[in-house]
mmCIF file of all heavy atoms in Angstrom:
data_model
loop_
_atom_site.group_PDB
_atom_site.id
_atom_site.type_symbol
_atom_site.label_atom_id
_atom_site.label_comp_id
_atom_site.label_asym_id
_atom_site.label_seq_id
_atom_site.Cartn_x
_atom_site.Cartn_y
_atom_site.Cartn_z
ATOM 1 N N GLU A 1009 106.435 109.196 68.509
ATOM 2 C CA GLU A 1009 105.744 110.304 69.156
ATOM 3 C C GLU A 1009 106.089 111.638 68.364
ATOM 4 O O GLU A 1009 105.145 112.484 68.105
ATOM 5 C CB GLU A 1009 106.239 110.640 70.553
ATOM 6 C CG GLU A 1009 105.368 109.841 71.583
ATOM 7 C CD GLU A 1009 105.884 110.317 72.999
ATOM 8 O OE1 GLU A 1009 106.732 111.266 73.167
ATOM 9 O OE2 GLU A 1009 105.468 109.456 73.917
ATOM 10 N N MET A 1010 107.242 111.734 67.659
ATOM 11 C CA MET A 1010 107.543 112.870 66.976
ATOM 12 C C MET A 1010 106.767 112.822 65.736
ATOM 13 O O MET A 1010 106.164 113.968 65.380
ATOM 14 C CB MET A 1010 109.007 112.903 66.566
ATOM 15 C CG MET A 1010 110.001 113.056 67.674
ATOM 16 S SD MET A 1010 111.441 113.946 67.201
ATOM 17 C CE MET A 1010 112.510 112.544 66.723
ATOM 18 N N ARG A 1011 106.430 111.632 65.164
ATOM 19 C CA ARG A 1011 105.597 111.781 63.907
ATOM 20 C C ARG A 1011 104.150 112.124 64.271
ATOM 21 O O ARG A 1011 103.307 112.743 63.595
ATOM 22 C CB ARG A 1011 105.539 110.279 63.410
ATOM 23 C CG ARG A 1011 106.873 109.912 62.729
ATOM 24 C CD ARG A 1011 106.699 108.458 62.053
ATOM 25 N NE ARG A 1011 108.059 107.987 61.701
ATOM 26 C CZ ARG A 1011 108.774 108.221 60.667
ATOM 27 N NH1 ARG A 1011 108.412 109.209 59.787
ATOM 28 N NH2 ARG A 1011 109.952 107.715 60.582
ATOM 29 N N GLU A 1012 103.711 111.517 65.476
ATOM 30 C CA GLU A 1012 102.351 111.993 65.878
ATOM 31 C C GLU A 1012 102.258 113.446 66.200
ATOM 32 O O GLU A 1012 101.269 114.106 65.892
ATOM 33 C CB GLU A 1012 101.971 111.220 67.047
ATOM 34 C CG GLU A 1012 101.787 109.724 66.917
ATOM 35 C CD GLU A 1012 100.810 109.288 65.896
ATOM 36 O OE1 GLU A 1012 99.641 109.897 65.852
ATOM 37 O OE2 GLU A 1012 101.080 108.456 65.160
ATOM 38 N N SER A 1013 103.358 113.957 66.809
ATOM 39 C CA SER A 1013 103.292 115.466 67.162
ATOM 40 C C SER A 1013 103.187 116.346 65.759
ATOM 41 O O SER A 1013 102.562 117.323 65.722
ATOM 42 C CB SER A 1013 104.603 115.845 67.827
ATOM 43 O OG SER A 1013 104.602 115.318 69.147
ATOM 44 N N VAL A 1014 103.868 115.778 64.771
ATOM 45 C CA VAL A 1014 103.756 116.472 63.513
ATOM 46 C C VAL A 1014 102.252 116.465 63.011
ATOM 47 O O VAL A 1014 101.690 117.470 62.561
ATOM 48 C CB VAL A 1014 104.604 115.913 62.562
ATOM 49 C CG1 VAL A 1014 104.454 116.485 61.042
ATOM 50 C CG2 VAL A 1014 106.083 116.141 62.786
ATOM 51 N N LYS A 1015 101.690 115.305 63.178
ATOM 52 C CA LYS A 1015 100.290 115.083 62.810
ATOM 53 C C LYS A 1015 99.355 115.993 63.478
ATOM 54 O O LYS A 1015 98.394 116.734 62.908
ATOM 55 C CB LYS A 1015 99.912 113.594 63.053
ATOM 56 C CG LYS A 1015 98.960 113.013 62.164
ATOM 57 C CD LYS A 1015 98.997 111.599 62.216
ATOM 58 C CE LYS A 1015 97.743 111.111 62.946
ATOM 59 N NZ LYS A 1015 97.774 109.532 63.158
ATOM 60 N N ILE A 1016 99.499 116.212 64.868
ATOM 61 C CA ILE A 1016 98.776 117.086 65.638
ATOM 62 C C ILE A 1016 98.994 118.454 65.213
ATOM 63 O O ILE A 1016 98.020 119.295 65.149
ATOM 64 C CB ILE A 1016 98.961 116.930 67.128
ATOM 65 C CG1 ILE A 1016 98.738 115.486 67.485
ATOM 66 C CG2 ILE A 1016 98.167 117.801 67.989
ATOM 67 C CD1 ILE A 1016 99.099 115.070 68.923
ATOM 68 N N ALA A 1017 100.277 118.768 65.047
ATOM 69 C CA ALA A 1017 100.593 120.279 64.734
ATOM 70 C C ALA A 1017 99.985 120.666 63.488
ATOM 71 O O ALA A 1017 99.565 121.792 63.282
ATOM 72 C CB ALA A 1017 102.085 120.404 64.801
ATOM 73 N N LYS A 1018 99.944 119.677 62.477
ATOM 74 C CA LYS A 1018 99.404 120.021 61.134
ATOM 75 C C LYS A 1018 97.920 120.384 61.235
ATOM 76 O O LYS A 1018 97.399 121.168 60.679
ATOM 77 C CB LYS A 1018 99.572 118.982 60.094
ATOM 78 C CG LYS A 1018 100.943 118.983 59.559
ATOM 79 C CD LYS A 1018 101.126 117.869 58.482
ATOM 80 C CE LYS A 1018 102.564 118.138 57.727
ATOM 81 N NZ LYS A 1018 102.861 116.910 56.985
ATOM 82 N N GLN A 1019 97.227 119.448 62.180
ATOM 83 C CA GLN A 1019 95.800 119.757 62.421
ATOM 84 C C GLN A 1019 95.433 121.058 63.018
ATOM 85 O O GLN A 1019 94.647 121.849 62.756
ATOM 86 C CB GLN A 1019 95.199 118.660 63.200
ATOM 87 C CG GLN A 1019 95.194 117.248 62.552
ATOM 88 C CD GLN A 1019 94.748 116.196 63.565
ATOM 89 O OE1 GLN A 1019 93.724 116.331 64.232
ATOM 90 N NE2 GLN A 1019 95.606 115.010 63.482
ATOM 91 N N ALA A 1020 96.420 121.356 64.024
ATOM 92 C CA ALA A 1020 96.318 122.635 64.717
ATOM 93 C C ALA A 1020 96.427 123.858 63.927
ATOM 94 O O ALA A 1020 95.638 124.801 63.891
ATOM 95 C CB ALA A 1020 97.230 122.630 65.929
ATOM 96 N N ILE A 1021 97.598 123.889 63.073
ATOM 97 C CA ILE A 1021 97.744 125.049 62.278
ATOM 98 C C ILE A 1021 96.736 125.266 61.234
ATOM 99 O O ILE A 1021 96.383 126.413 60.864
ATOM 100 C CB ILE A 1021 99.191 124.877 61.681
ATOM 101 C CG1 ILE A 1021 99.681 126.338 61.174
ATOM 102 C CG2 ILE A 1021 99.332 123.953 60.454
ATOM 103 C CD1 ILE A 1021 100.112 127.247 62.202
ATOM 104 N N ALA A 1022 96.037 124.094 60.838
ATOM 105 C CA ALA A 1022 94.945 124.355 59.800
ATOM 106 C C ALA A 1022 93.737 125.033 60.560
ATOM 107 O O ALA A 1022 92.901 125.678 59.869
ATOM 108 C CB ALA A 1022 94.547 122.920 59.298
ATOM 109 N N ARG A 1023 93.611 124.746 61.753
ATOM 110 C CA ARG A 1023 92.439 125.359 62.532
ATOM 111 C C ARG A 1023 92.624 126.797 62.957
ATOM 112 O O ARG A 1023 91.660 127.475 63.166
ATOM 113 C CB ARG A 1023 92.185 124.584 63.709
ATOM 114 C CG ARG A 1023 91.731 123.138 63.513
ATOM 115 C CD ARG A 1023 91.430 122.488 64.853
ATOM 116 N NE ARG A 1023 91.236 121.060 64.622
ATOM 117 C CZ ARG A 1023 91.022 120.325 65.803
ATOM 118 N NH1 ARG A 1023 90.840 120.734 66.921
ATOM 119 N NH2 ARG A 1023 90.845 118.982 65.501
ATOM 120 N N ILE A 1024 93.880 127.250 63.133
ATOM 121 C CA ILE A 1024 94.268 128.547 63.644
ATOM 122 C C ILE A 1024 94.116 129.644 62.603
ATOM 123 O O ILE A 1024 94.827 129.403 61.550
ATOM 124 C CB ILE A 1024 95.634 128.611 64.303
ATOM 125 C CG1 ILE A 1024 95.840 127.563 65.388
ATOM 126 C CG2 ILE A 1024 96.029 129.912 64.819
ATOM 127 C CD1 ILE A 1024 97.082 127.199 65.920
ATOM 128 N N THR A 1025 93.350 130.610 62.735
ATOM 129 C CA THR A 1025 93.197 131.702 61.684
ATOM 130 C C THR A 1025 94.407 132.691 61.991
ATOM 131 O O THR A 1025 94.878 132.722 63.190
ATOM 132 C CB THR A 1025 91.915 132.446 61.867
ATOM 133 O OG1 THR A 1025 91.696 132.745 63.349
ATOM 134 C CG2 THR A 1025 90.667 131.467 61.569
ATOM 135 N N PRO A 1026 94.800 133.332 60.994
ATOM 136 C CA PRO A 1026 95.997 134.260 61.142
ATOM 137 C C PRO A 1026 95.840 135.228 62.238
ATOM 138 O O PRO A 1026 96.663 135.567 62.921
ATOM 139 C CB PRO A 1026 96.168 134.849 59.837
ATOM 140 C CG PRO A 1026 95.531 133.922 58.842
ATOM 141 C CD PRO A 1026 94.385 133.213 59.654
ATOM 142 N N THR A 1027 94.560 135.758 62.297
ATOM 143 C CA THR A 1027 94.251 136.785 63.452
ATOM 144 C C THR A 1027 92.997 136.222 64.083
ATOM 145 O O THR A 1027 92.245 135.634 63.550
ATOM 146 C CB THR A 1027 94.042 138.194 62.895
ATOM 147 O OG1 THR A 1027 93.119 138.187 61.953
ATOM 148 C CG2 THR A 1027 95.553 138.778 62.377
ATOM 149 N N GLY A 1028 92.877 136.846 65.364
ATOM 150 C CA GLY A 1028 91.624 136.474 66.137
ATOM 151 C C GLY A 1028 91.920 136.493 67.591
ATOM 152 O O GLY A 1028 92.891 137.268 68.015
ATOM 153 N N ALA A 1029 91.069 135.804 68.330
ATOM 154 C CA ALA A 1029 91.111 135.877 69.822
ATOM 155 C C ALA A 1029 92.436 135.364 70.258
ATOM 156 O O ALA A 1029 92.862 134.182 69.772
ATOM 157 C CB ALA A 1029 89.913 135.241 70.348
ATOM 158 N N TRP A 1030 93.164 136.079 71.175
ATOM 159 C CA TRP A 1030 94.408 135.451 71.757
ATOM 160 C C TRP A 1030 94.376 135.334 73.241
ATOM 161 O O TRP A 1030 95.407 135.076 73.859
ATOM 162 C CB TRP A 1030 95.633 136.078 71.229
ATOM 163 C CG TRP A 1030 95.460 137.685 71.224
ATOM 164 C CD1 TRP A 1030 95.076 138.520 70.178
ATOM 165 C CD2 TRP A 1030 95.786 138.443 72.324
ATOM 166 N NE1 TRP A 1030 95.038 139.768 70.726
ATOM 167 C CE2 TRP A 1030 95.602 139.741 71.910
ATOM 168 C CE3 TRP A 1030 96.448 138.235 73.565
ATOM 169 C CZ2 TRP A 1030 95.741 140.963 72.789
ATOM 170 C CZ3 TRP A 1030 96.545 139.296 74.420
ATOM 171 C CH2 TRP A 1030 96.365 140.666 74.030
ATOM 172 N N ALA A 1031 93.270 135.725 73.687
ATOM 173 C CA ALA A 1031 93.065 135.808 75.205
ATOM 174 C C ALA A 1031 91.635 135.569 75.465
ATOM 175 O O ALA A 1031 90.832 135.945 74.632
ATOM 176 C CB ALA A 1031 93.695 136.918 75.957
ATOM 177 N N CYS A 1032 91.229 135.196 76.738
ATOM 178 C CA CYS A 1032 89.926 135.179 77.072
ATOM 179 C C CYS A 1032 89.349 136.660 77.336
ATOM 180 O O CYS A 1032 90.328 137.526 77.363
ATOM 181 C CB CYS A 1032 89.613 134.334 78.253
ATOM 182 S SG CYS A 1032 90.327 134.908 79.768
ATOM 183 N N ASP A 1033 88.116 136.810 77.482
ATOM 184 C CA ASP A 1033 87.545 138.276 77.699
ATOM 185 C C ASP A 1033 87.286 138.620 79.093
ATOM 186 O O ASP A 1033 86.545 139.465 79.425
ATOM 187 C CB ASP A 1033 86.388 138.453 76.736
ATOM 188 C CG ASP A 1033 85.435 137.345 76.868
ATOM 189 O OD1 ASP A 1033 85.506 136.546 77.890
ATOM 190 O OD2 ASP A 1033 84.525 137.452 76.123
ATOM 191 N N ASP A 1034 87.963 137.841 79.975
ATOM 192 C CA ASP A 1034 87.822 138.158 81.386
ATOM 193 C C ASP A 1034 88.514 139.252 81.942
ATOM 194 O O ASP A 1034 89.726 139.245 81.912
ATOM 195 C CB ASP A 1034 88.014 136.772 82.226
ATOM 196 C CG ASP A 1034 87.463 136.988 83.742
ATOM 197 O OD1 ASP A 1034 87.682 138.098 84.339
ATOM 198 O OD2 ASP A 1034 86.826 136.015 84.096
ATOM 199 N N THR A 1035 88.035 140.438 82.115
ATOM 200 C CA THR A 1035 88.726 141.622 82.549
ATOM 201 C C THR A 1035 89.392 141.617 83.843
ATOM 202 O O THR A 1035 90.167 142.417 84.234
ATOM 203 C CB THR A 1035 87.861 142.816 82.515
ATOM 204 O OG1 THR A 1035 86.654 142.648 83.285
ATOM 205 C CG2 THR A 1035 87.399 143.150 81.138
ATOM 206 N N ARG A 1036 89.134 140.392 84.595
ATOM 207 C CA ARG A 1036 89.889 140.434 85.814
ATOM 208 C C ARG A 1036 91.296 140.085 85.680
ATOM 209 O O ARG A 1036 92.290 140.496 86.393
ATOM 210 C CB ARG A 1036 89.338 139.057 86.843
ATOM 211 C CG ARG A 1036 88.128 139.392 87.567
ATOM 212 C CD ARG A 1036 87.700 138.151 88.216
ATOM 213 N NE ARG A 1036 87.456 136.976 87.287
ATOM 214 C CZ ARG A 1036 87.413 135.682 87.701
ATOM 215 N NH1 ARG A 1036 87.591 135.551 88.910
ATOM 216 N NH2 ARG A 1036 87.275 134.710 86.811
ATOM 217 N N VAL A 1037 91.624 139.376 84.655
ATOM 218 C CA VAL A 1037 92.908 138.823 84.430
ATOM 219 C C VAL A 1037 93.608 139.421 83.070
ATOM 220 O O VAL A 1037 94.693 139.728 83.169
ATOM 221 C CB VAL A 1037 92.767 137.189 84.142
ATOM 222 C CG1 VAL A 1037 94.087 136.654 83.739
ATOM 223 C CG2 VAL A 1037 92.154 136.602 85.403
ATOM 224 N N VAL A 1038 92.717 139.576 82.081
ATOM 225 C CA VAL A 1038 93.271 140.156 80.762
ATOM 226 C C VAL A 1038 93.143 141.660 80.701
ATOM 227 O O VAL A 1038 91.900 141.988 80.868
ATOM 228 C CB VAL A 1038 92.722 139.523 79.705
ATOM 229 C CG1 VAL A 1038 93.310 139.956 78.344
ATOM 230 C CG2 VAL A 1038 92.878 137.936 79.724
ATOM 231 N N PRO A 1039 94.102 142.489 80.411
ATOM 232 C CA PRO A 1039 93.961 143.851 80.449
ATOM 233 C C PRO A 1039 92.982 144.228 79.187
ATOM 234 O O PRO A 1039 93.011 143.410 78.227
ATOM 235 C CB PRO A 1039 95.384 144.517 80.267
ATOM 236 C CG PRO A 1039 96.150 143.331 79.924
ATOM 237 C CD PRO A 1039 95.614 142.082 80.427
ATOM 238 N N PRO A 1040 92.372 145.321 79.351
ATOM 239 C CA PRO A 1040 91.357 145.690 78.305
ATOM 240 C C PRO A 1040 92.251 146.072 76.950
ATOM 241 O O PRO A 1040 93.376 146.325 77.041
ATOM 242 C CB PRO A 1040 90.734 146.906 78.719
ATOM 243 C CG PRO A 1040 91.052 147.109 80.191
ATOM 244 C CD PRO A 1040 92.276 146.348 80.478
ATOM 245 N N PRO A 1041 91.535 146.020 75.799
ATOM 246 C CA PRO A 1041 92.316 146.413 74.581
ATOM 247 C C PRO A 1041 92.796 147.863 74.595
ATOM 248 O O PRO A 1041 92.209 148.533 75.214
ATOM 249 C CB PRO A 1041 91.310 146.208 73.493
ATOM 250 C CG PRO A 1041 90.000 145.855 74.081
ATOM 251 C CD PRO A 1041 90.226 145.542 75.467
ATOM 252 N N LYS A 1042 93.973 147.962 73.798
ATOM 253 C CA LYS A 1042 94.592 149.288 73.884
ATOM 254 C C LYS A 1042 93.741 150.511 73.513
ATOM 255 O O LYS A 1042 93.847 151.461 74.171
ATOM 256 C CB LYS A 1042 95.864 149.165 73.011
ATOM 257 C CG LYS A 1042 97.114 148.690 73.738
ATOM 258 C CD LYS A 1042 97.679 149.671 74.762
ATOM 259 C CE LYS A 1042 98.323 149.183 75.813
ATOM 260 N NZ LYS A 1042 99.724 148.529 75.438
ATOM 261 N N ASP A 1043 92.895 150.249 72.577
ATOM 262 C CA ASP A 1043 92.148 151.315 72.011
ATOM 263 C C ASP A 1043 91.162 151.869 73.301
ATOM 264 O O ASP A 1043 90.802 153.081 73.285
ATOM 265 C CB ASP A 1043 91.340 151.077 70.871
ATOM 266 C CG ASP A 1043 90.474 149.819 70.938
ATOM 267 O OD1 ASP A 1043 90.796 149.033 71.787
ATOM 268 O OD2 ASP A 1043 89.572 149.784 70.228
ATOM 269 N N LYS A 1044 90.614 150.955 74.058
ATOM 270 C CA LYS A 1044 89.883 151.423 75.160
ATOM 271 C C LYS A 1044 90.614 152.023 76.255
ATOM 272 O O LYS A 1044 90.181 152.933 76.980
ATOM 273 C CB LYS A 1044 89.064 150.060 75.657
ATOM 274 C CG LYS A 1044 87.921 149.713 74.884
ATOM 275 C CD LYS A 1044 87.147 148.733 75.669
ATOM 276 C CE LYS A 1044 85.882 148.332 74.756
ATOM 277 N NZ LYS A 1044 85.173 147.271 75.335
ATOM 278 N N VAL A 1045 91.855 151.371 76.558
ATOM 279 C CA VAL A 1045 92.641 152.053 77.606
ATOM 280 C C VAL A 1045 92.995 153.462 77.253
ATOM 281 O O VAL A 1045 93.021 154.309 78.133
ATOM 282 C CB VAL A 1045 94.076 151.271 77.602
ATOM 283 C CG1 VAL A 1045 94.940 151.844 78.629
ATOM 284 C CG2 VAL A 1045 93.702 149.866 78.122
ATOM 285 N N TYR A 1046 93.236 153.792 75.984
ATOM 286 C CA TYR A 1046 93.466 155.166 75.645
ATOM 287 C C TYR A 1046 92.223 156.132 75.648
ATOM 288 O O TYR A 1046 92.340 157.267 75.515
ATOM 289 C CB TYR A 1046 94.062 155.247 74.266
ATOM 290 C CG TYR A 1046 95.523 154.679 74.224
ATOM 291 C CD1 TYR A 1046 95.896 153.845 73.241
ATOM 292 C CD2 TYR A 1046 96.412 154.819 75.250
ATOM 293 C CE1 TYR A 1046 97.227 153.279 73.173
ATOM 294 C CE2 TYR A 1046 97.653 154.171 75.380
ATOM 295 C CZ TYR A 1046 98.043 153.552 74.276
ATOM 296 O OH TYR A 1046 99.315 152.991 74.232
ATOM 297 N N THR A 1047 91.016 155.624 75.536
ATOM 298 C CA THR A 1047 89.890 156.268 75.525
ATOM 299 C C THR A 1047 88.890 156.372 76.764
ATOM 300 O O THR A 1047 88.141 157.300 76.896
ATOM 301 C CB THR A 1047 89.015 156.006 74.218
ATOM 302 O OG1 THR A 1047 88.693 154.660 74.327
ATOM 303 C CG2 THR A 1047 89.838 156.363 72.941
ATOM 304 N N GLU A 1048 89.017 155.167 77.547
ATOM 305 C CA GLU A 1048 88.087 155.094 78.634
ATOM 306 C C GLU A 1048 88.794 154.932 79.907
ATOM 307 O O GLU A 1048 89.650 154.442 80.028
ATOM 308 C CB GLU A 1048 87.240 153.891 78.418
ATOM 309 C CG GLU A 1048 86.281 153.836 77.298
ATOM 310 C CD GLU A 1048 85.607 152.461 77.144
ATOM 311 O OE1 GLU A 1048 85.562 151.660 78.000
ATOM 312 O OE2 GLU A 1048 85.027 152.269 75.962
ATOM 313 N N MET A 1049 88.243 155.928 80.823
ATOM 314 C CA MET A 1049 88.893 155.954 82.129
ATOM 315 C C MET A 1049 88.963 154.609 82.891
ATOM 316 O O MET A 1049 89.912 154.211 83.466
ATOM 317 C CB MET A 1049 88.222 156.882 83.023
ATOM 318 C CG MET A 1049 89.023 157.436 84.175
ATOM 319 S SD MET A 1049 90.514 158.177 83.834
ATOM 320 C CE MET A 1049 91.290 157.960 85.293
ATOM 321 N N GLU A 1050 87.852 153.878 82.878
ATOM 322 C CA GLU A 1050 87.695 152.633 83.630
ATOM 323 C C GLU A 1050 88.669 151.593 82.992
ATOM 324 O O GLU A 1050 89.293 150.855 83.725
ATOM 325 C CB GLU A 1050 86.230 152.117 83.592
ATOM 326 C CG GLU A 1050 85.158 152.855 84.342
ATOM 327 C CD GLU A 1050 84.956 154.162 83.670
ATOM 328 O OE1 GLU A 1050 85.066 154.405 82.557
ATOM 329 O OE2 GLU A 1050 84.481 155.110 84.627
ATOM 330 N N ALA A 1051 88.772 151.629 81.752
ATOM 331 C CA ALA A 1051 89.677 150.621 81.143
ATOM 332 C C ALA A 1051 91.079 150.941 81.581
ATOM 333 O O ALA A 1051 91.832 150.000 81.785
ATOM 334 C CB ALA A 1051 89.523 150.752 79.517
ATOM 335 N N LEU A 1052 91.456 152.253 81.664
ATOM 336 C CA LEU A 1052 92.747 152.708 82.003
ATOM 337 C C LEU A 1052 93.048 152.255 83.393
ATOM 338 O O LEU A 1052 94.120 151.624 83.864
ATOM 339 C CB LEU A 1052 92.986 154.161 81.843
ATOM 340 C CG LEU A 1052 94.265 154.766 82.308
ATOM 341 C CD1 LEU A 1052 95.358 154.202 81.432
ATOM 342 C CD2 LEU A 1052 94.334 156.223 82.299
#
Side-chain angles (χ1 to χ4, degrees):
Chain A
E1009 264 180 22
M1010 292 212 273
R1011 294 187 196 278
E1012 295 299 321
S1013 284
V1014 171
K1015 213 161 105 184
I1016 300 170
K1018 278 186 173 166
Q1019 296 170 47
I1021 194 79
R1023 294 183 194 181
I1024 299 165
T1025 51
T1027 55
W1030 46 269
C1032 67
D1033 51 5
D1034 193 312
T1035 50
R1036 282 182 299 165
V1037 179
V1038 180
K1042 270 288 156 65
D1043 55 335
K1044 282 194 177 164
V1045 172
Y1046 291 141
T1047 52
E1048 293 175 17
M1049 193 61 204
E1050 287 72 24
L1052 180 64

